[in-house]
Amino acid sequence: MASIAEYYAGKNVLITGGTGFMGKVLVEKLLRSCPEVKALFLLVRPKAGQSMQQRVSDMMKCKLFDRVREDNPDFHQKIVAVSSELTQPGLAISPEDVERLNACVNIVFHCAATIRFDEPLKHALQLNVLATQQLLGLAHQMQHLEAFIHISTAYANCNRKYIDEVIYPPPVEPKKLIELLEWMDDGIVRDITPRLIGDRPNTYTYTKALAEYVVQQEQGKLNIGIVRPSIVGASWQEPFPGWIDNFNGPSGVFIAAGKGILRTMRANNDAVADLIPVDVVINLTLAAGWHTAVHRPKTSLVYNCTTGGINPFRWGEIEHHVMSSFKRNPLDQAFRRPNANITSNYLINQYWVLVSHKFPALLYDLFLRLTGQKPQMMRIFNRLHKAINLLEYFSRQDWEWNSENMNMLMNQLTPEDRKTFNFDVRQLNWPEYIENYCIGTKKYVLNEDMSDIPAARQHLRKLRNIRYTFNTLLVVFIWRVFIARSQMARNIWYFVVSLCFKFLSYFRASSTLTN
Ligand SMILES: CCCCCCCC/C=C\CCCCCCCC(=O)SCCNC(=O)CCNC(=O)[C@H](O)C(C)(C)COP(=O)(O)OP(=O)(O)OC[C@H]1O[C@@H](n2cnc3c(N)ncnc32)[C@H](O)[C@@H]1OP(=O)(O)O
Ligand SMILES: NC(=O)C1=CN([C@@H]2O[C@H](COP(=O)(O)OP(=O)(O)OC[C@H]3O[C@@H](n4cnc5c(N)ncnc54)[C@H](OP(=O)(O)O)[C@@H]3O)[C@@H](O)[C@H]2O)C=CC1
């Protein structure tokens, strides 16, 4: 039987979401580990004044592709950008491109989605559900299609505590919802969204659940696989440790904590933090593509791609390792020393939000105003609180996923493929991974130079000294106010001072005697 790289040799692969976080890693891995792949067709839209060609060529210049570039400087010849806007009818692909894709595509990876938690329902439905439906329609016309892999999320069914590798009945019939929202005014849709999404926390998980059902409904004769990653984090090993390029999920939280901005967050110390490195997800996705095409399972397989049941690590441990990593490798120009704590208690968290977020922000903004600058800290904190409120649902509880298909797939691989497309998370050393993750946020998200670390450490020492001075002044000030106003405080003060005095005299007398 063909190995994974042998299978992809000579194949034409269609990828949606190829410019996104996971899509880029997928493109890179295919080019590097399956060098005989024929062509990668990326469905890309023009964005922010850049043509799709420009976007793809910029993407290929990214550091992520350094290793591929070394192996094959002409790798860009294998990438074919196809103009497409997934929210438009027919995915806005030109008739010529449709014809071309229908004639040659062998395998589809559908990664595109809106992953925003605050996406208006109509848009999330259009992109996550309708675009999936349209892509499946296109796939049905492809004459040589061997597999269709849909990327979902392990949290599509987060309203359940135990999540099996099956497609659950949808909360609503997608077709009916699409019809309903078509004529509805945006304001009304916004008002009824909480009722519609019910016990799910956001439109993202809701529409991803609907998308899975659409995939099942529209499957027809296609060979389909569904990959459900949990919280996708920086790379573990490939193409190099710690690669990450965005603020999504925990990355933004880590950065905010490393910069000393985030000091408190609601999370359950003992809940499993189901992070999964992006390279693990992509290796499993490519293996799932191979398995779906070669073995053609009778029913579509769902792969829960998670770590919690295999190699669990908890939010409390994450907090500890993130903090100690940022103390060893500080971020530049931190606002305060990194010292974030997680708590599940609402009141304790509110207290620290007030004392450690709002109060310093107010003070700093006051300082900016007094020095003729524009205040900004309160605005940053408001944005941070908004983001954190949306994430806390996932950090305050845990879930159990069945990941038997992940094991089954691993057992199907040759020993060589198990190394090249490693998704065995039992080998993951969490402290080392978190350290590389934090360094990755510094290097690749914030574009900070590692050679500036001594200056960053010096800055943290300065912040510590400012804090000590501030705390001392504060204590002296409070005490001074107390003494001025209360007889009891004055008595205590005289008592303590005379005690110190007596102790000093005793010490001096005894040291004169011994001499
Ligand atoms: C000390 C450690 C303690 C440990 C505790 C850690 C707890 C971690 C907790 C729980 C993680 C669980 C996560 C569950 C995941 C589920 C899995 C999946 O299936 S999907 C993937 C998940 N998807 C998202 O993560 C989208 C979340 N993001 C959003 O929905 C939006 O970005 C939102 C609402 C948070 C903000 O929206 P806006 O409109 O205010 O801002 P905008 O346009 O997105 O970004 C503006 C700027 O802010 C940065 N930014 C975005 N998110 C940030 C963040 N979280 N922290 C800091 N900056 C952030 C952006 O890069 C951007 O910067 P520029 O203006 O371009 O320079
Ligand atoms: N990141 C995570 O933690 C997790 C992600 N997932 C799933 O993995 C998949 C990939 O996620 P991720 O890479 O993180 O997401 P990103 O937001 O980084 O990437 C999304 C991709 O979709 C494309 N896209 C969005 N809207 C359109 C549109 N209208 N037309 C064409 N393309 C569009 C984006 O293109 P453009 O560059 O033009 O914006 C981008 O390439 C998603 O299906 C997500 O649900 C699952 C679990 C966790």
Side-chain angles (χ1 to χ4, degrees):
M1 183 163 302
S3 71
I4 297 183
E6 278 164 7
Y7 167 72
Y8 285 104
K11 295 283 172 0
N12 289 305
V13 181
L14 176 75
I15 299 173
T16 70
T19 50
F21 169 49
M22 287 173 38
K24 271 187 275 201
V25 181
L26 175 66
V27 170
E28 194 276 341
K29 178 70 180 175
L30 256 174
L31 290 167
R32 184 163 46 85
S33 298
C34 309
E36 299 302 319
V37 65
K38 193 165 176 196
L40 306 186
F41 292 88
L42 308 190
L43 296 193
V44 186
R45 56 179 171 171
K47 197 176 165 188
Q50 277 193 309
S51 69
M52 58 137 195
Q53 278 300 352
Q54 186 60 43
R55 293 191 64 205
V56 173
S57 60
D58 279 1
M59 174 181 118
M60 287 183 291
K61 285 184 202 138
C62 160
K63 187 175 162 48
L64 179 72
F65 290 88
D66 280 1
R67 277 181 69 185
V68 183
R69 208 173 294 115
E70 245 171 55
D71 296 347
N72 173 16
D74 294 328
F75 76 93
H76 57 273
Q77 288 172 355
K78 296 208 169 182
I79 297 186
V80 186
V82 176
S83 177
S84 169
E85 166 54 68
L86 297 178
T87 53
Q88 295 300 311
L91 309 174
I93 308 178
S94 74
E96 300 78 53
D97 282 337
V98 169
E99 208 174 305
R100 189 170 167 209
L101 296 175
N102 285 346
C104 73
V105 170
N106 306 110
I107 176 155
V108 175
F109 291 102
H110 178 35
C111 300
T114 168
I115 63 165
R116 295 182 67 96
F117 292 153
D118 61 345
E119 195 70 75
L121 182 58
K122 243 186 194 177
H123 187 251
L125 194 72
Q126 241 167 10
L127 188 52
N128 295 351
V129 186
L130 267 172
T132 304
Q133 193 177 27
Q134 293 203 63
L135 190 69
L136 284 160
L138 184 68
H140 278 293
Q141 296 165 36
M142 293 176 177
Q143 291 132 29
H144 306 287
L145 191 71
E146 293 165 19
F148 183 106
I149 302 298
H150 171 74
I151 309 293
S152 182
T153 162
Y155 295 96
N157 301 291
C158 58
N159 54 332
R160 296 170 182 268
K161 278 286 160 207
Y162 173 77
I163 298 158
D164 209 344
E165 292 176 304
V166 298
I167 297 169
Y168 288 101
V172 60
E173 183 60 47
K175 281 196 185 100
K176 284 194 182 138
L177 185 66
I178 292 163
E179 278 165 21
L180 180 76
L181 298 194
E182 227 162 50
W183 59 266
M184 247 187 212
D185 171 77
D186 288 352
I188 304 177
V189 177
R190 197 177 47 238
D191 291 344
I192 63 166
T193 297
R195 296 292 296 273
L196 283 171
I197 64 175
D199 51 5
R200 283 188 177 73
N202 50 44
T203 54
Y204 169 67
T205 49
Y206 180 72
T207 51
K208 288 298 271 189
L210 295 184
E212 285 192 358
Y213 180 69
V214 162
V215 171
Q216 188 184 44
Q217 288 239 301
E218 313 269 321
Q219 173 174 7
K221 289 199 172 115
L222 300 177
N223 298 312
I224 288 189
I226 296 182
V227 177
R228 282 188 191 147
S230 46
I231 304 171
V232 183
S235 60
W236 169 28
Q237 294 166 320
E238 291 182 277
F240 39 81
W243 187 79
I244 176 85
D245 76 343
N246 60 70
F247 287 93
N248 292 330
S251 310
V253 176
F254 292 176
I255 291 171
K259 286 277 182 190
I261 296 174
L262 179 96
R263 316 283 289 187
T264 183
M265 176 172 177
R266 271 185 91 193
N268 181 350
N269 273 293
D270 301 322
V272 170
D274 213 300
L275 291 191
I276 184 115
V278 61
D279 46 342
V280 169
V281 179
I282 295 308
N283 288 346
L284 181 128
T285 302
L286 286 170
W290 161 83
H291 185 264
T292 311
V294 172
H295 291 267
R296 302 178 181 237
K298 283 198 185 71
T299 50
S300 309
L301 290 184
V302 176
Y303 300 88
N304 282 344
C305 183
T306 60
T307 50
I310 306 163
N311 182 359
F313 204 59
R314 290 162 208 284
W315 287 116
E317 296 171 285
I318 297 249
E319 179 220 81
H320 169 74
H321 289 284
V322 168
M323 287 302 99
S324 56
S325 172
F326 279 128
K327 278 177 188 148
R328 278 192 300 277
N329 311 295
L331 300 179
D332 293 352
Q333 290 303 317
F335 176 60
R336 293 179 69 191
R337 276 174 69 76
N339 186 14
N341 286 296
I342 56 177
T343 168
S344 48
N345 187 299
Y346 174 78
L347 286 177
I348 294 179
N349 185 56
Q350 283 307 101
Y351 170 79
W352 286 116
V353 163
L354 202 70
V355 172
S356 289
H357 287 182
K358 296 200 167 158
F359 181 60
L362 266 174
L363 269 188
Y364 191 70
D365 277 354
L366 183 70
F367 165 78
L368 290 177
R369 263 181 225 277
L370 290 176
T371 51
Q373 299 169 69
K374 213 173 136 211
Q376 52 165 346
M377 221 50 213
M378 218 39 192
R379 200 171 43 88
I380 293 178
F381 271 106
N382 286 339
R383 275 173 90 171
L384 180 70
H385 289 150
K386 178 186 163 195
I388 279 176
N389 276 340
L390 296 170
L391 295 178
E392 279 175 357
Y393 173 89
F394 301 94
S395 55
R396 281 171 40 210
Q397 46 187 324
D398 47 14
W399 288 264
E400 196 189 328
W401 286 275
N402 175 8
S403 52
E404 255 169 44
N405 285 341
M406 197 165 160
N407 282 334
M408 175 283 293
L409 187 58
M410 208 177 322
N411 293 333
Q412 302 271 327
L413 303 189
T414 62
E416 206 43 52
D417 276 348
R418 241 177 266 170
K419 272 193 225 142
T420 316
F421 298 90
N422 182 13
F423 52 88
D424 185 357
V425 291
R426 284 171 303 189
Q427 302 162 8
L428 183 69
N429 176 331
W430 282 106
E432 192 184 295
Y433 173 67
I434 296 293
E435 173 104 9
N436 288 329
Y437 194 155
C438 293
I439 294 176
T441 61
K442 180 176 173 68
K443 286 200 320 206
Y444 311 117
V445 182
L446 302 173
N447 289 319
E448 294 182 5
D449 211 322
M450 290 301 277
S451 62
D452 292 340
I453 285 191
R457 287 200 189 116
Q458 178 66 28
H459 179 70
L460 288 194
R461 276 195 290 274
K462 196 173 98 190
L463 289 175
R464 188 195 52 197
N465 293 343
I466 292 176
R467 187 173 137 232
Y468 285 163
T469 315
F470 180 81
N471 286 354
T472 314
L473 289 176
L474 193 70
V475 169
V476 170
F477 174 76
I478 293 173
W479 191 234
R480 193 70 201 82
V481 171
F482 254 116
I483 287 189
R485 293 179 177 229
S486 144
Q487 183 59 45
M488 189 148 89
R490 271 198 295 274
N491 291 345
I492 295 175
W493 179 238
Y494 291 137
F495 175 73
V496 172
V497 170
S498 63
L499 206 68
C500 290
F501 207 71
K502 275 185 193 148
F503 178 74
L504 267 178
S505 327
Y506 169 78
F507 185 71
R508 207 181 287 158
S510 59
S511 62
T512 335
L513 274 181
T514 45
N515 285 337

